[in-house]
Amino acid sequence: MTNKLGVRELVEFTLRTGDLSSTSGSQNTALLGAQIHRRLQKQRDENYQKEYYLEQELTLNGNPYLLHGRADGVTLTDDSAEIEEIKTSETVFDQLSENTLTLYWAQVKIYAHLLMEKETDLDAVTLTLTYFQTNTETTTQKTQVISKADAQTFFDDVITEYVTWLKFRSDLQERRDPTIHQLTFPFDHYRPGQRELAVAVYKTILTNKRLFAEAPTGTGKTISTLFPSIKAIGESLIQRIFYLTAKQSTRRVAEEAITMMAAQGLKLKSITLTAKDKIKFPEETDLLPEENPYMLGYYDRLKPALLDLIQNNDQLTRPVIEKYARKHTLDPFEFQLDASLFCDVIIGDYNYLFDPQVHLQRFFATEDPDNFFLIDEAHNLVNRSREMYSAAISSQPLDHLINQSRDLPQSSKKLHRRLLDLRATFDDVAAPLLAENQTDSTFLTPPENFDHDLSRLVEAIHDWLVDQPQTPFTQAILDYYFAAISYQRIGEYFDETYRMRLEIVDGNITLKELCLDPSAFLADSLALGHGAVLFSATLSPMDYYQTVLGGDTDSLAYRLDSPFEPQHQAIMVTTYIQTTYKQRNANLANILLAIKTMIDGKKGNYLIFLPSRSYLLDVSQAFQLAYPHIKTVIQEAQMAEADRTAFLANFVANPAQTLVGFALLGGIFAEGIDLKADRLIGVGIVSVGLPGINPETDLIRDYFDAQSQHGFAFAYQLPGLNNVFQAAGRLIRGSKDVGIMLLMDQRFASPRYTHLYPRHWQHFQRLYRPEQLTTAIQNFWHQEVSDEN
């Protein structure tokens, strides 16, 4: 298989030196840059060929490579040749760093070499660097001529440097592959379903497909997906695995799985990526880039640091990254991204692949069949992806900025005017709504003039920020600047799957670009690799998740049964309890009695889940008043990591007294926690978990109805039921666990819900009166005692 190597990638890896600056990159959107390129290209003569493709086949370190790229423009005549490279940024040309100019010229010099290899009669090429400063629309042009011999020498030097690192990578692979071949499954035996899932994953890689897999708790999803994927690396089917998930707890499980395989002799490089705000050194917080020792000279120290890190470590966890970043005085966030280029398994958040604003350009700028994606807890990606492709901007911060900018010097008056202009545009957009005494509305297209005035403010802020001191006002301006840029970037994706929302709350006007269906964007992201496995304990119904998560017509689906004995879990539905909003007060006494009946069956720890914060408080407070002698713990609205740990610490093994915990359905304790054995013997779920009726969810419903899908199910029923499945999954975590799941809502017994139940729920019991619940609970625990004896 021929490896692809981009000219820009080659240049930046081999020749970048100097400082790392968080503000060095242009804030222009890709759309704006493309527009400028097209505008300049149209001004050239008839001999000008835009987007001129160049390539050369190479053998580097014994492997075939295709070096390729597109020059912005090439002009060929009978006796001359010129290559133009167009660059855009807000920075004044004379203020560009020496290394930035080196990289610009290096790229066009490589193109010159490729052109002269293609057009063998050429002895020299004129190189033109066209620099467009976006905020002033100033164009600067510089030219130089390079001979064929000089271009060859420059090219050879760059390639020699690159091959040094290719050799380093190939040495790592030669060390790695024999250990993969010798690797066996890291447990004595497969759990039920594990071997089948591992085989399905391997076949997915063989066939370049996408697999949607539902694997209930206890299946061992992580090792069953990682192990066959690593074996595929050993067979050269893929070269890199991205294990992406929403939670730190599942990232740790992936790390532990690799540690187990490493204990068997696996020599593989893995890295866990940490968010910028969490891995940044405390002493960097208030420093400007030009004052930050971890950024100054970053690229001059990077390569020795990479060699030191990678030669001495296989698992690059956060503590390891921080240790070597301090040792070599490097910014830890950027250092981990640079180190990831040498890793076989990259563990991190969904946004590294799917988020259009922060995804990893170094991996996902173009399609790469060497990459394979494992998407854990994939049910979380539905809402996360809608958030990634949505953006909002509000008027309220402008009021403060306008007041603060009144006293700025004359040189800042343009900024003040642009702030006023955008604030007035907000008012214009909201005026029709206010005239009708309404507070929210929906549009199919963005409002006229708003994007224009927002762009003018962005340009004014950028001009003004140059050389401004760090003050609270500067930071407030910068925050709004980034919010505006985020809004602009998401605007580039606005299509028929979007709606524009306008909301007015206490005078604050908010415009939101709301993505209703990001499935096409997810599919595009998944298409950047060799294939993908999207898996979770709850992916029912499968066709729904295939629809909303970017599945294609030939996607694969696989569902495993629970590995645990069904009789270890009693599933009881109280059909006499109604929890619709109008019926909640009338049913409160029945809910309290049902909870009390459950905990009276056996001393132990119980968790009760409710669908909203207000409902949680109503039920938990009423329970405490009714049964003050029973120990309770209640999930708070905002809980730090220490608070979460303290909450779970109450659920001790072999408890001396009964404990009832109250938590939010779909919240932090409804998934990702592991209370094994008798740390949890009962779960109660109040209501079917439907999201509260609201305009945005209604828009999702209406959109899918228009697509001939089940709009109510897609928007309300299935997301709610998934929260129920996740909360219920807290109960049985191991083969020896037993307990009761109490579903308190008559809707749980209706066909609309029961036909969606997984197979290990099919033995649920319908209970029509409180006394039937008492009998069912007593019978269950009596049977468990009998089985133990």
Side-chain angles (χ1 to χ4, degrees):
M1 182 173 62
T2 300
N3 301 285
K4 290 186 177 181
L5 174 61
V7 170
R8 184 171 180 176
E9 173 192 348
L10 170 68
V11 165
E12 292 195 350
F13 185 81
T14 54
L15 298 178
R16 187 181 289 278
T17 60
D19 303 338
L20 169 69
S21 174
S22 61
T23 58
S24 61
S26 170
Q27 294 297 338
N28 296 326
T29 66
L31 179 61
L32 176 60
Q35 289 172 343
I36 293 169
H37 275 64
R38 288 196 294 270
R39 187 199 314 175
L40 295 175
Q41 288 166 338
K42 286 181 180 178
Q43 298 172 5
R44 308 305 184 239
D45 63 30
E46 66 276 6
N47 292 319
Y48 186 89
Q49 301 179 62
K50 65 180 182 179
E51 304 300 325
Y52 192 94
Y53 183 76
L54 290 161
E55 65 176 29
Q56 182 177 343
E57 293 182 356
L58 303 168
T59 299
L60 305 179
N61 197 41
N63 294 306
Y65 277 80
L66 180 68
L67 179 64
H68 66 99
R70 290 187 183 275
D72 292 322
V74 170
T75 302
L76 292 172
T77 64
D78 292 339
D79 56 356
S80 67
E82 179 183 1
I83 299 178
E84 180 181 37
E85 182 66 20
I86 301 171
K87 298 296 183 183
T88 63
S89 174
E90 307 94 340
T91 306
V92 177
F93 182 83
D94 291 339
Q95 294 178 359
L96 293 173
S97 70
E98 180 180 345
N99 185 244
T100 297
L101 289 172
T102 297
L103 296 175
Y104 287 173
W105 283 116
Q107 192 170 341
V108 72
K109 287 177 181 178
I110 297 293
Y111 286 143
H113 167 75
L114 298 180
L115 181 62
M116 285 186 278
E117 286 291 301
K118 178 181 179 181
E119 304 289 342
T120 55
D121 293 339
L122 291 175
D123 294 322
V125 172
T126 299
L127 313 179
T128 299
L129 175 62
T130 301
Y131 180 79
F132 187 91
Q133 188 180 335
T134 54
N135 52 343
T136 62
E137 299 207 346
T138 302
T139 301
T140 303
Q141 278 196 329
K142 301 290 183 181
T143 62
Q144 57 178 276
V145 176
I146 189 168
S147 68
K148 189 169 188 174
D150 287 345
Q152 181 72 56
T153 300
F154 180 81
F155 178 80
D156 290 343
D157 290 344
V158 171
I159 290 296
T160 298
E161 171 68 11
Y162 191 73
V163 167
T164 300
W165 288 90
L166 283 182
K167 178 66 165 61
F168 178 59
R169 289 191 206 186
S170 67
D171 289 346
L172 294 176
Q173 292 175 3
E174 289 176 8
R175 170 180 177 263
R176 175 199 70 193
D177 287 351
T179 70
I180 294 178
H181 297 152
Q182 297 163 9
L183 182 67
T184 59
F185 193 70
F187 294 100
D188 293 338
H189 63 280
Y190 285 94
R191 295 180 189 174
Q194 268 191 321
R195 182 187 293 275
E196 292 83 356
L197 177 57
V199 170
V201 170
Y202 194 83
K203 287 182 177 178
T204 301
I205 298 171
L206 278 175
T207 55
N208 291 43
K209 302 285 188 183
R210 295 173 200 165
L211 170 68
F212 290 78
E214 182 177 74
T217 299
T219 307
K221 298 181 292 294
T222 303
I223 195 65
S224 300
T225 54
L226 268 175
F227 175 73
S229 301
I230 289 172
K231 295 296 281 187
I233 288 179
E235 298 300 324
S236 298
L237 298 173
I238 55 175
Q239 289 299 323
R240 188 180 292 111
I241 300 164
F242 288 86
Y243 191 101
L244 305 175
T245 182
K247 292 182 169 60
Q248 288 187 4
S249 57
T250 42
R251 282 168 233 162
R252 285 194 293 270
V253 173
E255 290 177 346
E256 291 165 1
I258 293 172
T259 299
M260 281 192 296
M261 289 183 276
Q264 289 191 332
L266 178 65
K267 302 296 183 184
L268 170 143
K269 302 294 179 183
S270 68
I271 188 167
T272 303
L273 300 180
T274 306
K276 189 172 188 175
D277 60 338
K278 293 183 178 180
I279 200 172
K280 189 175 185 178
F281 290 141
E283 59 268 32
E284 292 185 88
T285 303
D286 297 322
L287 292 179
L288 294 172
E290 57 267 26
E291 300 170 347
N292 188 337
Y294 298 100
M295 292 185 174
L296 294 173
Y298 174 91
Y299 290 106
D300 299 327
R301 300 186 298 276
L302 175 61
K303 290 177 182 177
L306 287 173
L307 287 172
D308 190 14
L309 170 71
I310 293 165
Q311 287 176 334
N312 292 295
N313 301 274
D314 283 340
Q315 283 190 263
L316 311 183
T317 57
R318 176 180 171 178
V320 172
I321 292 291
E322 290 178 333
K323 173 185 174 182
Y324 282 82
R326 285 197 178 279
K327 178 180 178 181
H328 293 274
T329 320
L330 296 172
D331 176 76
F333 177 75
E334 291 293 334
F335 184 44
Q336 67 174 351
L337 297 182
D338 287 317
S340 68
L341 291 168
F342 297 90
C343 292
D344 310 296
V345 179
I346 298 173
I347 303 167
D349 188 85
Y350 296 146
N351 59 15
Y352 291 116
L353 171 62
F354 296 109
D355 194 316
Q357 303 201 67
V358 300
H359 73 274
L360 298 177
Q361 280 283 342
R362 65 195 68 207
F363 292 114
F364 306 129
T366 59
E367 181 181 346
D368 187 346
D370 283 342
N371 295 332
F372 189 74
F373 307 127
L374 298 177
I375 313 299
D376 195 1
E377 303 294 347
H379 63 275
N380 285 309
L381 188 55
V382 179
N383 285 334
R384 278 287 301 276
S385 59
R386 284 199 182 105
E387 294 170 1
M388 290 173 188
Y389 282 91
S390 299
I393 193 162
S394 299
S395 67
Q396 194 170 57
L398 289 171
D399 298 330
H400 169 73
L401 297 175
I402 289 168
N403 288 332
Q404 293 289 310
S405 64
R406 294 185 196 279
D407 300 327
L408 292 174
Q410 187 65 33
S411 59
S412 301
K413 292 305 178 185
K414 180 181 177 181
L415 172 65
H416 182 69
R417 287 197 307 272
R418 293 291 182 255
L419 291 168
L420 287 170
D421 289 346
L422 186 63
R423 186 64 181 84
T425 303
F426 266 110
D427 289 336
D428 291 343
V429 171
L433 205 61
L434 293 171
E436 299 292 331
N437 293 318
Q438 296 180 5
T439 58
D440 70 87
S441 185
T442 301
F443 308 94
L444 291 175
T445 56
E448 293 183 11
N449 300 325
F450 185 84
D451 289 348
H452 174 263
D453 288 344
L454 183 65
S455 294
R456 294 207 304 170
L457 175 60
V458 167
E459 292 172 3
I461 292 175
H462 184 272
D463 292 347
W464 179 83
L465 281 171
V466 177
D467 298 327
Q468 289 294 325
Q470 283 280 80
T471 68
F473 176 68
T474 304
Q475 186 58 52
I477 282 283
L478 196 59
D479 290 342
Y480 201 78
Y481 177 60
F482 288 131
I485 289 170
S486 175
Y487 180 90
Q488 288 180 315
R489 287 177 172 167
I490 292 301
E492 296 175 16
Y493 295 90
F494 201 99
D495 62 11
E496 68 278 0
T497 66
Y498 276 80
R499 298 293 182 269
M500 180 64 64
R501 290 279 297 153
L502 174 62
E503 296 178 305
I504 306 172
V505 179
D506 297 330
N508 181 37
I509 305 164
T510 298
L511 274 171
K512 182 175 184 179
E513 300 161 321
L514 176 64
C515 182
L516 306 176
D517 179 15
S519 60
F521 305 129
L522 297 180
D524 288 344
S525 294
L526 293 172
L528 293 171
H530 181 93
V533 178
L534 298 93
F535 57 101
S536 171
T538 55
L539 279 186
S540 293
M542 188 69 76
D543 57 351
Y544 161 72
Y545 283 101
Q546 287 179 299
T547 299
V548 297
L549 291 179
D552 50 28
T553 54
D554 62 349
S555 291
L556 308 174
Y558 190 76
R559 180 179 283 112
L560 277 74
D561 289 329
S562 171
F564 305 135
E565 295 292 338
Q567 62 267 27
H568 285 185
Q569 175 177 252
I571 302 173
M572 304 178 184
V573 179
T574 56
T575 63
Y576 57 88
I577 291 178
Q578 300 180 48
T579 68
T580 57
Y581 189 77
K582 291 182 179 179
Q583 297 292 334
R584 285 182 180 179
N585 289 337
N587 282 264
L588 180 59
N590 276 336
I591 292 171
L592 299 181
L593 179 59
I595 296 171
K596 182 64 164 54
T597 301
M598 178 169 66
I599 67 175
D600 281 347
K602 184 177 181 179
K603 179 176 66 178
N605 300 323
Y606 298 83
L607 261 176
I608 310 299
F609 292 98
L610 295 109
S612 69
R613 178 69 184 162
S614 60
Y615 201 11
L616 184 152
L617 292 176
D618 289 345
V619 173
S620 61
Q621 290 171 1
F623 186 86
Q624 289 174 320
L625 286 172
Y627 311 107
H629 61 287
I630 297 175
K631 182 181 178 182
T632 59
V633 288
I634 301 171
Q635 178 181 340
E636 300 297 331
Q638 300 293 330
M639 300 183 77
E641 188 65 34
D643 299 324
R644 300 178 192 181
T645 301
F647 181 93
L648 294 175
N650 288 287
F651 293 80
V652 297
N654 302 313
Q657 60 178 319
T658 287
L659 169 73
V660 180
F662 291 89
L664 194 63
L665 193 62
I668 54 176
F669 300 117
E671 59 178 293
I673 64 168
D674 205 17
L675 300 173
K676 291 184 177 179
D678 62 354
R679 290 188 66 194
L680 185 67
I681 64 168
V683 166
I685 299 174
V686 181
S687 93
V688 293
L690 295 180
I693 302 295
N694 65 85
E696 290 191 2
T697 310
D698 282 349
L699 287 172
I700 296 171
R701 177 200 62 199
D702 296 343
Y703 170 84
F704 281 108
D705 276 340
Q707 303 300 312
S708 300
Q709 300 283 0
H710 302 288
F712 177 79
F714 276 34
Y716 286 101
Q717 183 191 12
L718 296 176
L721 188 58
N722 186 273
N723 288 337
V724 170
F725 288 155
Q726 285 294 319
R730 300 315 96 208
L731 182 60
I732 304 297
R733 309 297 296 175
S735 59
K736 303 296 184 182
D737 294 5
V738 295
I740 292 172
M741 188 196 338
L742 182 60
L743 303 177
M744 289 171 274
D745 191 312
Q746 66 176 9
R747 288 172 289 183
F748 281 120
S750 70
R752 188 172 196 170
Y753 283 89
T754 58
H755 87 277
L756 297 172
Y757 287 177
R759 277 178 286 206
H760 62 283
W761 276 36
Q762 296 306 315
H763 66 291
F764 74 92
Q765 304 172 62
R766 291 182 174 90
L767 305 171
Y768 301 96
R769 298 183 302 279
E771 54 268 29
Q772 287 183 315
L773 175 62
T774 302
T775 301
I777 289 172
Q778 290 174 348
N779 289 342
F780 174 76
W781 288 120
H782 178 75
Q783 184 63 45
E784 284 301 320
V785 171
S786 299
D787 291 344
E788 289 177 5
N789 295 332

